Amino acid sequence: MNLQAQIELITAPQDFTRLCNAVLQAEYGTDFLPIDDDRADRGNDGYLKSEKRMFAAHCFKRIQNKGLDGEIRSKMMGDLKKAITLRDQGDWDITRWTFLCNYPIPEGIAAEVHAFGTRAGIDVSWCGPGYFAEVLQRVTSVRELFPNLMGNDILKKLDEISQIIESLSRPPDDVQILVDWVPRDAEEQRALISQAPPAWEYLLFASALKLGKERLEPKWRDFQTGYGRRNGIYHDESSSIQRLVDAFSDVEGVVERMVMVFSAKIQEEAFGPPGVRGNSDSILHLAGRVVAGYEEILDWASEIRGEVYPESTKNAAKLAAQMAERPAQDVRDFIDRVFLEISKLPDLLKLPNPRVKLSLELTVTVDDAAVLAFTKEVRKIRRKRRF
């Protein structure tokens, strides 16, 4: 069972509150003010001073199921109304409100709560089990506070032991196994290059792409959830508009550079003309440029999301980051397609008179609808503020 699934199974409110406080203190330090949960808290489970953000934490005392939608709505709306009351009474300066939970929020409830907060002048957000799992995996000091959630670390140790046992059963070094598949690690890549079976160049290329994509899976998961680690950059209206307009040019440049490395000349230098051995260094470099471009797209969106914007330009920043979704998915689809097609090569080449046609064309596109939405938002802000 993975870490996120274990967090979803927490049913003791005290345990979940302790997890929330540990994670938020690790993320924000003394900027976060935890509230004593053993006393009446009026819906305030913590406060982030710099952002004027109030937190409300909740977990069910039984395993969650779809039949709890009504209770989720009641809890979120009730705690949000409490926050509005605290603000209106002048007890707390609140402009943002975040709901902390260990279960997913249904879309219909999410839309209703967000709209209610908007009408009240409060920016509403929520963090689910995926957020807590990511921080626990990233911050060892927090993870060590929750030994009951350490199943993943134990499984990792068991995997290391399994690998040691497997290595003991491997053939002696002087008995070399022929690698005629897409290599699964650097050792198999070196064996493939030295053995040079038919179509080894393409097997190496697929391997480099696949391993590169796997290495970036944590960043991809952050990208999908819209997470961006706070980077200490704050903008006013003027600087935020300039930043986002420049960012649009940045993502276009990333796409252009990535596609550029796939020219026919560069491919021939890497894979070699018909009948000529390819160049392993050039193949690895070509695959590396694709992976690096993919990582640059993910980092670009993370940087946008990690910066702090005024309320008037927050939506523009969100729309700017969304422009990276189509290019990132295009690269992932390309890597998956190349891996799938090239994995079939060894068996196809064993057939009599094999006829093989490979397509290594990389097409990275920009979502016109996302660009249009971002452009309209920027124009609206400029007209309103007369930038």
Side-chain angles (χ1 to χ4, degrees):
M1 183 184 298
N2 62 32
L3 188 55
Q4 179 172 329
Q6 293 179 68
I7 293 172
E8 291 173 353
L9 294 177
I10 295 176
T11 55
Q14 297 85 352
D15 291 344
F16 185 63
T17 297
R18 192 164 64 91
L19 173 63
C20 293
N21 286 339
V23 165
L24 293 173
Q25 285 175 324
E27 289 285 82
Y28 301 108
T30 56
D31 193 29
F32 171 69
L33 303 178
I35 303 298
D36 185 0
D37 193 49
D38 291 332
R39 303 181 183 182
D41 55 23
R42 299 186 294 171
N44 180 7
D45 292 320
Y47 184 77
L48 191 60
K49 294 181 289 184
S50 64
E51 297 183 6
K52 300 178 181 179
R53 182 185 302 277
M54 181 167 288
F55 294 93
H58 178 250
C59 78
F60 286 104
K61 296 181 180 180
R62 59 194 185 279
I63 302 299
Q64 302 96 40
N65 58 63
K66 293 183 179 179
L68 298 177
D69 284 8
E71 296 182 38
I72 294 174
R73 179 190 178 279
S74 176
K75 179 61 178 174
M76 291 186 74
M77 292 294 290
D79 281 355
L80 178 54
K81 289 176 181 178
K82 290 179 181 179
I84 295 170
T85 299
L86 291 176
R87 180 200 63 182
D88 294 345
Q89 291 176 345
D91 293 344
W92 292 89
D93 187 4
I94 304 170
T95 60
R96 298 174 177 85
W97 179 82
T98 298
F99 188 70
L100 306 172
C101 58
N102 66 332
Y103 48 81
I105 304 299
E107 191 279 333
I109 297 174
E112 182 180 358
V113 175
H114 182 269
F116 188 84
T118 300
R119 289 193 298 271
I122 291 182
D123 180 47
V124 170
S125 62
W126 44 87
C127 294
Y131 166 72
F132 295 105
E134 187 278 329
V135 177
L136 283 170
Q137 289 171 334
R138 172 163 47 83
V139 185
T140 304
S141 59
V142 177
R143 189 166 67 248
E144 290 175 346
L145 296 175
F146 301 90
N148 58 317
L149 299 177
M150 296 289 281
N152 281 3
D153 287 354
I154 295 172
L155 290 176
K156 183 178 179 182
K157 292 296 183 183
L158 290 175
D159 185 55
E160 292 174 357
I161 294 172
S162 176
Q163 290 178 12
I164 294 173
I165 295 174
E166 181 183 348
S167 68
L168 296 176
S169 63
R170 290 176 183 168
D173 292 341
D174 58 348
V175 179
Q176 192 174 41
I177 297 176
L178 177 64
V179 177
D180 63 350
W181 57 81
V182 176
R184 296 161 295 191
D185 52 39
E187 182 180 349
E188 290 187 355
Q189 285 182 350
R190 289 190 291 270
L192 177 77
I193 294 169
S194 84
Q195 296 166 5
W200 69 268
E201 295 94 342
Y202 298 96
L203 297 173
L204 179 63
F205 181 65
S207 171
L209 288 178
K210 185 70 171 177
L211 293 176
K213 178 190 171 192
E214 290 174 352
R215 176 178 61 81
L216 296 175
E217 283 304 282
K219 287 190 177 184
W220 168 250
R221 287 192 289 271
D222 282 345
F223 176 78
Q224 284 187 301
T225 59
Y227 175 77
R229 183 170 177 78
R230 190 60 55 82
N231 53 27
I233 299 177
Y234 294 79
H235 294 285
D236 57 21
E237 281 190 331
S238 179
S239 67
S240 62
I241 288 296
Q242 187 60 51
R243 166 70 173 106
L244 296 174
V245 171
D246 291 343
F248 176 56
S249 301
D250 290 342
V251 76
E252 283 187 318
V254 173
V255 172
E256 290 174 359
R257 291 192 298 273
M258 193 185 316
V259 175
M260 183 176 61
V261 303
F262 262 78
S263 67
K265 179 181 178 182
I266 292 177
Q267 286 195 48
E268 184 171 291
E269 289 176 353
F271 298 101
V276 178
R277 176 186 170 94
N279 184 305
S280 61
D281 290 338
S282 296
I283 292 170
L284 292 174
H285 179 75
L286 178 58
R289 293 315 312 150
V290 176
V291 173
Y294 169 54
E295 183 174 17
E296 195 171 351
I297 292 172
L298 300 182
D299 288 344
W300 176 85
S302 178
E303 289 171 5
I304 292 289
R305 290 165 171 164
E307 296 173 12
V308 179
Y309 305 87
E311 288 294 329
S312 59
T313 60
K314 270 191 173 182
N315 190 47
K318 179 181 178 181
L319 293 172
Q322 288 176 354
M323 290 191 294
E325 292 179 1
R326 177 70 63 78
Q329 190 61 58
D330 284 344
V331 179
R332 290 178 65 84
D333 291 345
F334 169 76
I335 293 174
D336 291 342
R337 176 172 58 80
V338 168
F339 177 78
L340 181 62
E341 291 186 10
I342 291 179
S343 294
K344 301 175 183 177
L345 267 182
D347 290 335
L348 291 175
L349 293 175
K350 294 175 184 177
L351 299 175
N353 302 316
R355 305 183 95 181
V356 179
K357 184 178 180 181
L358 290 174
S359 173
L360 296 181
E361 181 180 358
L362 172 61
T363 302
V364 183
T365 58
V366 175
D367 188 339
D368 292 337
V371 173
L372 180 60
F374 169 72
T375 303
K376 284 184 176 179
E377 182 67 16
V378 171
R379 288 174 179 170
K380 182 177 73 173
I381 297 170
R382 281 177 161 168
R383 284 197 301 268
K384 185 175 180 180
R385 303 299 178 184
R386 296 183 179 178
F387 285 144

